[in-house]
Amino acid sequence: MIRESLTPRVNWQEQFEALGFTYHSIDDLYWDERYAYRFTAAQIDTLEDATSELHQMALQAVEHVIAKERLEQFAIPQPFWALVEESWRDQEFSLYGRFDLSWNGQGAPKMLEYNADTPTGLVESSVAQWYWLQDVLPQADQFNSLHEKLIAQWQTLASRHQCKGLLHFACIGGHEEDEGNLAYLRDTAIQAGFATKQLAIENIGWDERHAEFVDDHDIKIDNLFKLYPWEWLCREAFADHLLARPLRLVEPAWKMVLSNKAILPVLWELFPGHPNLLPAFFDAWRISGDFVKKPLYSREGENITIYAGGEVHHQPGQYGAEGYIYQAFAPQPKFDDGITPAYASIGSWVVGDAPAGIGIREDVSLITKDTSRFIPHYFVD
């Protein structure tokens, strides 16, 4: 895993805006092609194998949590426990997820967390860095089959899960990054043959007379992809209506378990010493050495605290009321060219149950935040 300095392409901004990647320069610098990460084919195999194994272990952990009735540890509201269990037993459709890994190209990649409900970074991980590769290093390859696998997974929803009719897509209105990711996912669904409609989640209503959710034109919502986390959804005023399962939701309710940081100590309990896992516990006293304190619910690094090397690194935020877990510290590799030092985090994608590619984020701090930069990658034999 080598970080290389490159010369950015001319007019790359126009190319990306034509692709719908309009937020490429959010916070002044988000997409950053002054650099690229180079891997070997063997290193990509290591990442792919680790991602596949971690995903299968995570599914086993969901089964364990539900079978052993441990949902309370996940701070999931009790009225939703039955919904989580039913969605798991019914094997409700899952589209995608993203592992965040710490790895420098040697040894075993370490799982930091699993963003399995509302991961973003899709446009840049799929089409943006693929177009970059074709322009800059057409002779090289890239761990990136996101686009094809997303289309195929939507087709699985239609065939194996008998999904018919209109497929709605919703996120918070006015959030450019979320709307960009949603529009991209909607496009892959259209390519898979679905009729779709996109709207702001705040424009979804409840029709009391017919006991159904409707969109802003009073059209019934039968199938909804929501780029809106379950921990928010089940605390909304209309949340009780979800318990009767009046519509199909993607991602399903069982993803509340998989996307929660509480899955980390459960994984360590079930697979102690696994090379791709870090020791993690519900109790701080069980951690020895450097560690990270993580809220059960947290996004973009908020409310994460790292205790390492006698120093404390903390990112403020709005999370933590539901509780914390404690995970051994695994520092992301640091790269420094004397111009832009950075800590790199690898996001490894899963579509359905299959690894589908990686995207790399950089930050000047040990905590990857919403202001972190996205760096393209490639590999050679």
Side-chain angles (χ1 to χ4, degrees), residues 181-239:
N181 278 268
L182 194 71
Y184 171 69
L185 284 168
R186 181 189 178 194
D187 181 66
T188 60
I190 291 171
Q191 292 186 53
F194 278 95
T196 69
K197 181 181 178 182
Q198 183 167 331
L199 75 162
I201 201 157
E202 52 266 34
N203 290 334
I204 294 176
W206 176 254
D207 183 336
E208 191 69 44
R209 178 184 173 191
H210 297 100
E212 62 190 24
F213 285 100
V214 294
D215 65 18
D216 47 357
H217 287 85
D218 292 326
I219 298 172
K220 180 184 178 184
I221 300 177
D222 290 308
N223 310 288
L224 175 65
F225 176 88
K226 44 137 213 89
L227 194 62
Y228 191 79
W230 265 104
E231 64 263 25
W232 296 355
L233 198 66
C234 64
R235 290 168 173 83
E236 294 283 2
F238 57 74

Side-chain angles (χ1 to χ4, degrees), residues 307-324:
Y307 301 85
E311 298 182 350
V312 177
H313 307 265
H314 176 71
Q315 181 67 18
Q318 59 181 329
Y319 299 97
E322 294 82 10
Y324 293 84

Side-chain angles (χ1 to χ4, degrees), residues 70 213 215 265 274 361 363:
R70 298 181 62 175
F213 285 100
D215 65 18
H274 191 281
R361 299 283 301 277
D363 203 288

Side-chain angles (χ1 to χ4, degrees), residues 6 52 78 90 151 178 210-211 248 277 279 332 343 374 377:
L6 299 173
S52 180
Q78 188 170 2
D90 291 347
I151 294 171
D178 283 3
H210 297 100
R248 183 199 307 268
L277 296 176
Q332 292 97 321
Y343 295 93
F374 188 98
H377 82 277

Side-chain angles (χ1 to χ4, degrees), residues 25 117 251 258 308 365:
S25 299
D117 185 19
E251 298 290 338
L258 205 56
S365 76

Side-chain angles (χ1 to χ4, degrees), residues 168-182:
H168 282 80
F169 285 77
C171 69
I172 296 175
H175 191 289
E176 186 178 14
E177 183 178 356
D178 283 3
E179 288 179 340
N181 278 268
L182 194 71

Side-chain angles (χ1 to χ4, degrees), residues 308-358:
E311 298 182 350
V312 177
H313 307 265
H314 176 71
Q315 181 67 18
Q318 59 181 329
Y319 299 97
E322 294 82 10
Y324 293 84
I325 63 94
Y326 304 87
Q327 183 185 49
F329 175 61
Q332 292 97 321
K334 184 178 181 180
F335 298 87
D336 191 349
D337 63 353
I339 301 173
T340 309
Y343 295 93
S345 176
I346 298 174
S348 190
W349 292 93
V350 172
V351 175
D353 294 317
I358 60 172

